Each structure stands twice: as C-alpha cells, then as structure tokens.
Amino acid sequence: MSAPRSEHTTPPRTRCLTTAQALVAFLSRQYTERDGRRHRLIGATWGIFGHGNVAGIGQALVEAGSGDRAAPRMPYLQGRNEQAMVHAAVGYARQCGRLSAHAVTTSIGPGATNLVTGAALATVNRLPVLLLPGDTFATRPADPVLQQLETGHAGDVSVNDCLRPVSRYFDRITRPEALIPAALQAMRVLADPAETGAVTLALPQDVQAEAYDWPEEFFAERSWRVRRPAPDAAELEAAVRAVRSARRPLIVAGGGVRHSAAEETLAAFTAATRIPVATTQAGKGALRHDHPADVGGIGHTGTATADALARTADLVIGIGTRYTDFTTASATLFENPAVRFLNLNITGFDAHKLAALPLVADARTGLEALTSALAGRGYRIDPAYETEYTGAKEAWEERVEASFAAPDPAARPTQTQVLGLLDAQATEDDILINAAGSLPGDLHKLWRTRSRDQYHVEYGYSCMGYEIPAAIGVLLATGPHGPHLPHGQDGQDGPDRPHRPVWALVGDGTYLMNPTEIVTAVQENLPLKLVILQNHGYASIGGLSEAVGGERLGTAYRHRDADGGFTGPPLPVDLAANAASLGMRVLRAHTVDDLRGALAEARTAEGPTCVYVETETPDTVSGPPPAQAWWDVPVAETATRPAAVKAREEYDRQVAARRRHL
Ligand SMILES: Cc1ncc(C[n+]2csc(CCOP(=O)(O)OP(=O)(O)O)c2C)c(N)n1
Ligand SMILES: [Mg+2]
C-alpha cells in the first residue's frame, strides 16, 4: 500500500489549455483495442469553419497539426458540405471495421444542422462518428448571435438539439470542466459495439476558447476495448436445441457479421452444418459469392434461391441483423406456419425481434460457441436440403449471367449490363459503394461479392449522396498515405500499399444531390472512381410511383409541358461536364465497347476519374430479374384516378399475406 498522499507535498499536475485545445489533445490520445490490435480511435477531424468553431476548434487543430513533434497529431481534412463530411466519416469507419472513426467540426446554425442527416445515417447503420457542432454562447452576452434560432419559452434550447434523437450520446459543454466526463462517455459510446453511432458534443463557442487548468491525467493515452461478449449459457443451450431440431434452417447474415469480423467463423459454422446463408444489404460479403452455402441476398431485393428458402424455413438464424422490411418482405416472407427465429445479436433489442430465441453475444464469439456446442453433439442438415439449394443457386447464376450479358458492343448498355462489365473486371480488391436508387436492388440481387469488404451498400438509411464522400472515407482508410490507421499497426498499412479500386456508383439524381465532395477527392488526389449512370431522373421511384398509383409524378428530369406537367423534352443537363468542371478526369461512354474501355482505364487511373454513361431502359431480357418478394408501400385507400384504384386492389391482395411472428 502506498502512503496516503499529502495535499501539500504533491500538487496535482495541470495543463492550462482552452477547452478546444484540451479536446483535440484528448482525442489524439484515444485508441481502440480488439483481438490484440490497437488503432487510433479518432483518426482525423473533418471541418468546415465559420463562427462557432473557427477560433476555438480551428485554432486548436492548427496547434495539433504543428508545434510539439513528440505529441500525437490530429490530422485535419477539408470538406465542402457538413452532411457529406459525416458520410465520409461513416465510409471510413465502416472500412475500418468500426475500430477507427473521424470527428467532424462545424460552425453554429446551418453548419450544425447540416449534420442531422449524416448523424441519422451513422446511427441507423451503427457506425461511429464524433460530431462537434459549434453552439451559441454559454454566457449569452448578446442574444441572438448570428445564425441563432431563439426559442421564446426555453432559453437553453439551440438548433443543435435536433441532433439529440439521431445521436447515441449527446452533451453540451457549457463549462470547460464538463468536457472531462463528457469526452470519456463519448469515447465509451463510440467504441461500444452495441451502442455505437453518432456521438455529439455541442460546443458553445465562448467555452471553446476559454482556458482551464486540466488535470494532466486527462491527456494520458487511453485504450477502449471493443468487447466481444460471450453468450449466456442458458441462451446458448436453448439455441443449440433449436438448431438441432431444425430441418430447414436458414441463416440471415447482417452487418453485425462484418462489424464483428466473423466471416471466417461463419464459413466454419456452415462448413460443419451446411446451413445455407442468405444476406442482407449490410451482410452481403459475409461469405464469398462462390462459397457453396452462399445463397445471395434475401427479401424484396433478394435472389429466388434465398427467398424460396425463406418461405419454407422452419428456423431462421439471424446473425447481426435488424430485420428491416426489405429483409422480411414487409413481414410476408417467412411463410412456414412453424417458423421460429433464433437471433444472435450484440444488442438485446435486435436479438428479441420476431419473438426470437435470443442469443445475445458478439457475432464471432457467439458463432464459435454455437459451433463447438454443436460439434460435440453432431448436426448437419439433410443432404436433400443441401442438394435443393445448390441446384437453385446454379439456376439463379444463369439469371445473373443473362442480366450481365451485353452481346451487342455497339449498343447503349442497360444498367445491369454496366454492372456486368464491371463484374468482368473486378477482382477481390475492388470496393463498390452505393446507397440509393435502382442500383441497390440490382446489386443485392446480382453482384458477385469476391471479398468481405467489396460490397459497401448503405441501405440502412439509403441516403442519396452518400456514395462520393463515403468513397473518400474508404480511400482514406485503405490507401497508402493519409490520416488513417496508424502505420504498421494493422499489418498491411504503410506507404507501399497501393490504393484499392474504390468505385462510387451513382444515378443521375443521386449525383445532383451531392457532387461537391469531388473537390475533396481532387484536393487529396485520391483515385476515386465515379460511375454516373444517366437515365434522366428517378427510375426507381418512377417505377414505384407507377406501381402505387402515383403516376410517376416528379420522377423524370423533363421540361414542363403546356399543361404544366413534366412531359416536355429531357433537361439539357451535362453531368459529365459538371464533374469535369469540379476537377475530375471524365470518360464518356456511349456504347458497351466504350464502357468496357472506360472502366478499364478508370480502374488503373491514379487520379480521380469519372465514367459517364447514358443507360438504356431495360426490357425483360436486359434488365434485372423481377422482385421475388413484396415491399409494403401503402396505396391510397380511396381515389378517383383509375391508376390508384387498381394499385389499391393489388395492395389489398398483398397485405393479406402479412403476418406477425409472436
Ligand atoms: C436524400 C434522399 N432523398 C430522397 C430519397 C428517395 N429516393 C430514393 S431513390 C431516389 C431516386 C434516385 O435517382 P437516381 O440516383 O437517378 O437513381 P435511379 O432511380 O434513376 O436508378 C429517391 C428520390 C433518398 N433515398 N435519399
Ligand atoms: Mg436516375
């Protein structure tokens, strides 16, 4: 035991810094730790400056990028749009397996509220990002300041309160010393595999610049263990019994498999049991497409193989999935009256969905436990079941081939032919990024995923405009230089590692929503590969609108006609010229042959390169296979126009198939 400390002989060591300087110094010394590896928790800070962060955090970042060479630095990244900075951070975090994240600093008011969509996206997808919006003065010497929205009945409300419901942790630092507990809680949540998402520390701008004597211990290096909780013994026993009694089990692998790096464990589990594996959008890549147990995407955008298995499954084993309506075909997919669910999930919330047997654990640890518990007692599916899905998988593969085939080199390609041409060139190095439009469905159905991190489709929030900034985040996480995982610590980092081909695939509507981060890719000289698929509007929503009685309102980019509708000629918009004007090298492809060459050229290009292609409207041969399962979009119950009346009849038929799993 050490002697009691005398207050008089050893005064606590302190460091006088502003709140912003203390925060940046603190963030520079935080690490995550998992499976014996350590990573910087906050790899870099994105920022757009204005009043509310220019003098506080801005000044602190200047100091953290220079000065004391021995101290860890905080790299700064310049973004163009606050929402896009969050998307970049999310792309980075996902590529880093949630072991490293970015911070995002903004000015007050519009800069801060521009974060809301990105924050929701991060939280929905359970990907860590630290948001540092500037906030109005804590001391309030002169209300209102520029960009302050006043609330007459509540003086302590600011626009940043919009970030509360989309954040996993929120605090407003109204005094310097309040940063100490808040910063520690923020790190806890970012590194917590069950709770992670957007974490917001709102920073009143006067407090950012205020000095305080910080205890030296605040700046000690800290490691946050990303835990792998093991399952409860009784839950595991119940799970084993459920699997052993299943005759037609089906695994639904979600994003949790990837976040937990459980792919190999899943492969070992299926090798032992031969249970087929279907995947959600976030889980695609859990097994390679050519793994015998991989039956592809499930649900509304799923394969015929996976959806047929889902309809007859007696045990659905959900691993790291949230069971969205796309996965369950809006509660119509799991038709077997005897179906039960077993959910391996790190959150109790998801583990209990669909009245499942819960198995609350880390995906990898849980699967390891399940594998060894089953190995002792022996379990393997009936060979006839295996033969059945293997045959169905081969039949689906022929449909993929048919959708990808582009026999006429001089023709304008359809969208699925674009994917086929990309498929022909991609290796396991390529990473595809997409989030919205008709591409996520086509990709989920058709893409042959060759590596665990190849398929990067954000479909939790399906946010148009995620693609380009997310690709930047992925490039920062995987590239040779730049502010990403600390060199040498993940065994593959360092200046010799080449960039991987990272593709942002965007529709024309998506491009127009958020092209600005092209400038960031140009500034950082990142070899972003952008493919713009031009079809003059929202093909996806147009088709949906037609099916639900919306008559395609507002889904085509056309001039107004004489009656005020939008049936005039297509708008003379040149997105290729737009991308070029932002600094990209642009390759225009008019035909299948052009496109093949352009993709090959872009794939090896060293700078940011755009491939622009006008796509042909697909027919039943050149388009994707139709939806194999329903999606619930309620149709007007009463309407005068025939399109909606007819759509409602079909809707009522589909609704009858909905069921609650209790
Ligand atoms: C930010 C945002 N706003 C609206 C939507 C709804 N939405 C989904 S797809 C889509 C149209 C996408 O158009 P485009 O990128 O051209 O793809 P296409 O449908 O033509 O394949 C819209 C508006 C969304 N997903 N995200
Ligand atoms: Mg479009």
Side-chain angles (χ1 to χ4, degrees):
M1 292 263 287
S2 56
R5 207 177 80 183
S6 158
E7 297 286 327
H8 302 290
T9 51
T10 48
R13 288 200 305 134
T14 59
R15 214 191 288 183
C16 184
L17 295 173
T18 69
T19 304
Q21 289 161 355
L23 175 58
V24 171
F26 170 86
L27 294 177
S28 309
R29 291 169 174 80
Q30 306 304 307
Y31 293 86
T32 58
E33 217 175 304
R34 192 178 72 178
D35 308 332
R37 289 207 190 136
R38 220 161 91 100
H39 303 284
R40 271 281 286 267
L41 174 47
I42 304 297
T45 298
W46 290 90
I48 293 177
F49 297 108
H51 93 101
N53 69 339
V54 63
I57 294 281
Q59 191 279 333
L61 284 170
V62 174
E63 289 205 352
S66 62
D68 181 0
R69 298 269 151 187
R73 289 160 174 266
M74 175 55 73
Y76 163 70
L77 292 161
Q78 185 178 1
R80 270 76 205 165
N81 168 291
E82 289 83 2
Q83 180 184 320
M85 292 196 290
V86 187
H87 293 335
V90 167
Y92 172 85
R94 176 160 176 190
Q95 187 62 36
C96 293
R98 311 197 298 185
L99 298 171
S100 186
H102 281 158
V104 179
T105 167
T106 76
S107 57
I108 76 160
T113 49
N114 263 1
L115 293 173
V116 174
T117 298
L121 182 149
T123 296
V124 168
N125 288 287
R126 285 141 194 218
L127 289 164
V129 56
L130 177 62
L131 306 180
L132 304 172
D135 211 325
T136 47
F137 289 60
T139 51
R140 301 195 219 142
D143 273 358
V145 297
L146 175 70
Q147 300 171 314
Q148 177 174 349
L149 186 152
E150 294 169 282
T151 304
H153 64 273
D156 63 346
V157 168
S158 88
V159 291
N160 283 350
D161 288 285
C162 293
L163 287 159
R164 286 180 191 269
V166 290
S167 298
R168 292 286 180 168
Y169 180 82
F170 179 97
D171 207 343
R172 181 176 284 121
I173 312 302
T174 52
R175 292 185 55 82
E177 60 269 46
L179 177 68
I180 296 174
L184 292 168
Q185 289 297 336
M187 298 303 106
R188 173 187 68 78
V189 174
L190 288 172
D192 187 315
E195 285 190 41
T196 197
V199 165
T200 301
L201 297 180
L203 301 167
Q205 63 171 313
D206 49 350
V207 180
Q208 285 180 42
E210 195 175 333
Y212 181 75
D213 290 322
W214 304 88
E216 194 57 43
E217 293 82 1
F218 185 50
F219 306 111
E221 264 189 19
R222 256 167 244 270
S223 279
W224 301 85
R225 188 172 299 285
V226 181
R227 67 182 70 87
R228 291 189 176 280
D232 169 79
E235 284 189 359
L236 180 63
E237 182 52 35
V240 168
R241 275 200 306 271
V243 174
R244 291 193 78 226
S245 61
R247 302 189 57 80
R248 297 183 65 85
L250 172 68
I251 290 172
V252 177
V257 172
R258 178 160 176 188
H259 298 327
S260 150
E263 293 90 348
E264 276 158 33
T265 318
L266 178 63
F269 181 75
T270 58
T273 62
R274 306 299 166 101
I275 300 175
V277 177
T279 50
T280 69
Q281 286 278 12
K284 200 166 151 91
L287 296 179
R288 272 181 60 110
H289 77 100
D290 51 3
H291 187 287
D294 179 73
V295 293
I298 188 169
H300 178 61
T301 52
T303 65
T305 323
D307 285 357
L309 293 174
R311 290 199 161 90
T312 54
D314 60 355
L315 181 72
V316 177
I317 308 172
I319 306 177
T321 175
R322 298 186 303 126
Y323 287 107
T324 73
D325 60 349
F326 263 66
T327 299
T328 66
S330 300
T332 62
L333 188 60
F334 303 109
E335 284 176 359
N336 183 339
V339 68
R340 291 172 70 202
F341 296 83
L342 164 64
N343 292 344
L344 167 54
N345 205 291
I346 199 157
T347 73
F349 181 75
D350 288 319
H352 283 84
K353 284 178 178 170
L354 304 177
L357 279 175
L359 185 60
V360 179
D362 165 64
R364 187 154 105 185
T365 312
L367 269 171
E368 279 165 2
L370 208 49
T371 309
S372 54
L374 282 168
R377 292 186 251 171
Y379 176 80
R380 182 184 273 212
I381 58 164
D382 185 342
Y385 183 44
E386 191 177 345
T387 309
E388 176 190 325
Y389 75 70
T390 307
K393 191 178 153 156
E394 280 165 16
W396 182 260
E397 194 53 34
E398 284 169 22
R399 297 177 77 170
V400 175
E401 287 289 344
S403 299
F404 281 178
D408 181 358
R412 219 155 74 161
T414 64
Q415 180 162 296
T416 53
Q417 289 169 341
V418 176
L419 298 183
L421 292 169
L422 199 53
D423 170 84
Q425 298 188 23
T427 70
E428 60 186 26
D429 276 349
D430 294 56
I431 298 176
L432 265 58
I433 298 169
N434 180 249
S438 52
L439 277 165
D442 291 358
L443 287 164
H444 195 216
K445 275 194 197 114
L446 302 172
W447 188 258
R448 298 160 169 159
T449 312
R450 294 159 172 80
S451 57
R452 64 175 65 174
D453 61 0
Q454 171 154 92
Y455 189 86
H456 185 136
V457 174
E458 185 284 296
Y459 215 58
Y461 213 48
S462 185
C463 184
M464 291 165 77
Y466 170 78
E467 297 83 349
I468 295 171
I472 290 171
V474 169
L475 283 160
L476 292 172
T478 56
H481 299 291
H484 45 80
L485 303 184
H487 283 225
Q489 289 188 9
D490 67 356
Q492 48 164 338
D493 222 335
D496 295 336
R497 186 174 65 170
H499 271 296
R500 291 172 62 179
V502 177
W503 302 87
L505 308 179
V506 303
D508 54 314
T510 295
Y511 179 85
L512 283 171
M513 187 76 78
N514 184 21
T516 56
E517 258 20 68
I518 287 175
V519 178
T520 306
V522 170
Q523 185 173 43
E524 299 284 341
N525 194 30
L526 294 169
L528 165 71
K529 299 167 202 326
L530 170 65
V531 182
I532 303 176
L533 293 98
Q534 171 66 276
N535 58 15
H536 304 283
Y538 303 164
S540 54
I541 306 299
L544 178 63
S545 173
E546 193 166 306
V548 298
E551 301 181 43
R552 293 190 173 257
L553 176 68
T555 57
Y557 288 157
R558 288 177 176 277
H559 283 286
R560 279 200 191 270
D561 54 34
D563 300 329
F566 293 98
T567 62
L571 301 181
V573 176
D574 188 345
L575 301 184
N578 185 274
S581 79
L582 296 177
M584 280 198 125
R585 189 164 152 243
V586 177
L587 308 166
R588 290 177 191 257
H590 303 282
T591 64
V592 164
D593 231 13
D594 285 352
L595 184 60
R596 189 177 286 117
L599 291 173
E601 201 174 330
R603 194 167 179 279
T604 53
E606 289 181 359
T609 307
C610 169
V611 175
Y612 174 87
V613 57
E614 290 238 5
T615 54
E616 189 61 70
T617 309
D619 54 32
T620 47
V621 177
S622 59
Q628 306 292 312
W630 189 53
W631 182 42
D632 187 346
V633 178
V635 175
E637 206 164 357
T638 173
T640 49
R641 293 172 73 88
V645 174
K646 192 161 160 284
R648 181 69 198 198
E649 283 165 17
E650 172 60 16
Y651 182 75
D652 288 337
R653 253 194 305 282
Q654 296 286 356
V655 160
R658 255 192 329 219
R659 65 179 289 207
R660 280 193 197 280
H661 299 284
L662 293 169

